[in-house]
Amino acid sequence: MSTEKFTILQLGHPHLRLTARNVENIQSDNMQNFIDDLLHFVSEVNGMGIAAPQVDHSLRLFIMSSRPNIRYPHAPSMQPTVIINPEIISVAKKIEKDWEGCLSVPSIRALVPRHQSIRACYTSRTGEHVEATYSGFLARVFQHELDHLNGLVFTDRVEDNHDMMAEQEWLELISQR
Ligand code: ZN
């Protein structure tokens, strides 16, 4: 998948496996333009989130942009949020499995175990330190995107191969709910 500005790296591309480096020049024109482009891109491709390494920028930055769609009718609506240099402060012990997909892993869906809620901090695009608590779907998106900054994709966390499905089968499954 690609547009003028970005191509999404696909599973197997070695750059998806890198540990991304901290963003140090948040206020620079280059970085602010990159953020604007990425915000535009994630809305164009209807993503719930996207991490900079997915478009071949090895930076600790991602966007969360949850909103309901056909695949995730119960996803909460939120303003797209730019998350820079994120860290998880603490996690709930409770682990939940739910379905995930990824723009970098086309045609595959899988049940992925994640902490049900997390306390996290990050830097905003205006340079402010933010602390936030996420639970459920948003905690899941945050953990999924943070994994990209550490060279992980969601299939790395699947516990059982039987928890993986082809997109087509998965769409049939959720349409029967
Ligand atoms: Zn992903």
Side-chain angles (χ1 to χ4, degrees):
M1 194 183 288
S2 66
T3 62
E4 277 165 51
K5 287 224 163 69
F6 296 125
T7 299
I8 297 182
L9 301 186
Q10 305 286 285
L11 183 64
H13 194 294
H15 291 182
L16 281 177
R17 296 311 197 166
L18 299 173
T19 300
R21 64 180 192 279
N22 271 325
V23 180
E24 276 159 11
N25 48 348
I26 295 170
Q27 310 290 353
S28 73
D29 286 351
N30 265 353
M31 189 57 61
Q32 291 292 320
N33 288 338
F34 171 66
I35 289 167
D36 285 338
D37 289 344
L38 201 57
L39 281 165
H40 182 72
F41 184 66
V42 74
S43 86
E44 243 181 13
V45 299
N46 263 316
M48 292 287 173
I50 194 163
Q54 290 181 274
V55 293
D56 210 6
H57 286 65
S58 189
L59 296 168
R60 302 191 76 78
L61 183 157
F62 63 77
I63 292 168
M64 290 172 75
S65 58
S66 167
R67 71 202 133 164
N69 67 17
I70 295 166
R71 290 175 168 80
Y72 298 98
H74 305 297
S77 286
M78 69 184 291
Q79 273 294 106
T81 303
V82 181
I83 309 276
I84 302 169
N85 300 336
E87 280 176 49
I88 289 181
I89 300 166
S90 61
V91 297
K93 279 201 190 119
K94 188 178 177 200
I95 304 281
E96 278 178 353
K97 274 191 190 180
D98 211 341
W99 294 103
E100 294 186 21
C102 180
L103 294 167
S104 294
V105 188
S107 308
I108 297 288
R109 298 274 151 175
L111 285 171
V112 183
R114 300 284 187 190
H115 296 285
Q116 197 276 331
S117 78
I118 58 169
R119 179 95 184 140
C121 64
Y122 62 92
T123 304
S124 73
R125 71 176 296 178
T126 53
E128 281 149 316
H129 180 80
V130 180
E131 274 194 39
T133 301
Y134 299 105
S135 61
F137 190 77
L138 294 184
R140 179 168 297 280
V141 173
F142 193 100
Q143 289 168 87
H144 176 118
E145 300 305 335
L146 181 59
D147 272 354
H148 280 301
L149 310 189
N150 295 321
L152 291 171
V153 295
F154 74 103
T155 46
D156 298 333
R157 297 206 180 265
V158 172
E159 290 176 333
D160 183 334
N161 284 337
H162 292 94
D163 287 341
M164 301 180 80
M165 285 186 96
E167 172 98 7
Q168 197 57 42
E169 288 292 326
W170 178 76
L171 286 171
E172 278 183 34
L173 180 82
I174 61 165
S175 72
Q176 288 160 12
R177 274 183 198 167

